[in-house]
Structure formats: structure tokens, C-alpha cells
Amino acid sequence: MQGYTHKSMDAAPLKMQGYNETKDAVKEYYSKHLKTSDDLLTNACCTGAAPPDHIKAALKKIHPEVISKYYGCGLCLPEHIEGLSILDLGCGAGRDVYIASQLVGAQGRVVGVDMTPEQLDVANAHKLYHEEKFGFANVEFKLGFIERVPRRDLHEGPVINLSPDKEAVLSEAYRLLKPGGELYFSDVYSDRRVPKALQEDSVLWGECISGALYWNDFHNLAKKCGFLDPRLTKDSVITVDNKKLEGKLESHCEDYGQAVIYKGTIPLCQDVFVLDSHHSIEKGKVFPVCGNTWRMLHDTRFKQHFDFLGSFDTHFGIYGGCGTLIPYACAQSGGTAGCSSC
């Protein structure tokens, strides 16, 4: 369906009168209608890009029934997560949980939360199988709604599309994260707001179309909920990386004359580290960055892998290569300060 290809969320959150009815309809769709991924009626909830080799290797160790009941549109795990704690909101039958289990290793942990008992029954039925395959046990599954999750300090990967209350999901995700924690997700987005007729179609809700958000509404809602600088990492399978940095991020990319140098020490990223869709940072090269990007690297687990140049002592205005340029025509055409005609 044209216009519904990747990921988004909603600044005017969708709070329908039939909120509970929508959740019940989605729950029934995933528990009763869908038996395997072959039962999907559209390609919205399908992964398009081939996974990298280390993910392919992890997939080979996952039970076939778990694989067959995967309805996601892309894995959204960042690099360098060994030993971390991961919370997968909307984990389904647990495919991505069991991938993350291998990547965080024996010292990490992964908790999957889903509202569908039938999906969790599959996930739990194969816990012992995966423990024997991996050589350790670090996985737990819980029944619940992603709008209300017990407090944990974790890195998250939620399915927001299927919730009728996107703002509640994003606010809950922000509450759960500790400073420096990250929210990654891959989902379906639209290039315009979904018409009301589609919003009321229960089948299209289950197919991840009716719940898709207009990308700009998502961007604004994410900021409203505390994620001040959402980033797009890929546009084939969308992973938005929102970091909770205790309010330190600015609403726009500001220039402080800063730069970073990547040391090449992150596993699987020895030559180039990709932070997002326009930050591919080569090893050993001075890479100019805005203040927000500097903090995203300096104030998180990535700090040890970079050298940091500059400070916040001098502000040079909007960062032209990353942020929104000043909108007035006189400035864009190279005019001097003092233009006040609007």
C-alpha cells in the first residue's frame, strides 16, 4: 500500500473512543487469525533487508516455530550491547528476544513483554531449547501492555504501531530508561495521516497499517515525551534511536565547533561506525559533529570508543550539515545580520 513503508508515531496521539476495542481486536488478530507469517495479508509487517552475517548466525540457533511466528518489520538492535539489559516491548513469540539473548551474552539479560498469551506460550515453550543452544539462561517473558510496564533500567525495542495510545507508549519508554539508555524501534510509518476509515479497520490494525503514524507527528510526539533529538538510522528498515540524556539535548543541531575521532574498537564496526543515516564515522578521521551528536557519543556507552574534540564554551549557531538552516531568505542568500522583514 503506497505511503506505508516504514516507521512513525503520532504527535496528536490516537486516543479513539474504542481504545479497549482496538486493543482487543489486535490481540485477537495475533492470537486467533495469525498462525504463521504466511497468514499476513499485506507486506507491511515484513522485513525487507537481509540481516548482517552475525544476525544470520544468531537466527540459525532459534527454534523453527519461533521463526514461523515472527510478524515484525525489522530487527532494531544497536551495536555494542554485550552485557546490557534489553526490554523488548511487543516481543510476540520471542524471535528478537532470542537474538538479543545471544548478543548480550551470559552477563546480559533480555525481558520480553507482550499482551498475547498465545504468542508468549510459544516463546516460553522453547526457553530450554535456546538455553541449551546458547549455553546460558538470560531470558524472561512477561504478559502485559506496553503502555504500562514495571520500572526497569533498560535499553528498549518496542512495537508502538499496534498501540492505540502512542503517547502513553513513548512516555512509558522514556520513564523506564536510565540516563544514557536508548529507545530503538522498527515499525511502519506513513507519509501522511491515516484516514479515519482505515483507523477503524480491525484487520488493517493487525496488519500494521491502521496504526501507522505520520512521520512528522512521530517526530513531534517523541520530543514531547522527552526524546529531544530522534534519529533515523536506516530508511529501508527504520530504527529510531532516542537517547535519554537528562534534558541535555537541544531541539536543533547546534554548532559548537566540536568533532570526534572513532578508535575502531566497537566489535563488527572496526572501520566505520554508523550512528544514524547521516553519521558514518570512519576510524581515525576527525569527524565534525553538532552538540547533540557529541553528547550522544560522549554521555553513553560509546564514550570509550571515541576521542572528543572541543567543548560547549563557544556557540557558532545552527549546525548547517545536520540541523535546520535559518529560514529567512536574507541569511540563506548570504546576507548580513539585521534582516527583520517577515
Side-chain angles (χ1 to χ4, degrees), residues 44 52 69 90 142 155 167 209 212 254 260 300 331:
K69 292 184 177 295
K142 292 183 176 293
H155 294 67
E167 182 173 355
I209 291 177
E254 303 288 349
V260 297
T300 67

Side-chain angles (χ1 to χ4, degrees), residues 268-290:
L268 305 178
C269 306
Q270 287 87 347
D271 297 319
V272 179
F273 172 70
V274 179
L275 175 66
D276 55 48
S277 60
H278 58 293
H279 289 83
S280 296
I281 308 174
E282 296 181 36
K283 174 184 176 182
K285 183 178 180 180
V286 176
F287 192 93
V289 294
C290 69

Side-chain angles (χ1 to χ4, degrees), residues 154-190:
L154 298 164
H155 294 67
E156 296 192 65
V159 176
I160 308 170
N161 181 290
L162 296 176
S163 172
D165 190 349
K166 272 67 170 174
E167 182 173 355
V169 177
L170 280 175
S171 296
E172 184 71 353
Y174 189 82
R175 182 185 70 84
L176 290 168
L177 292 172
K178 64 182 179 180
E182 299 151 46
L183 167 66
Y184 286 82
F185 61 89
S186 173
D187 211 331
V188 178
Y189 83 92
S190 64

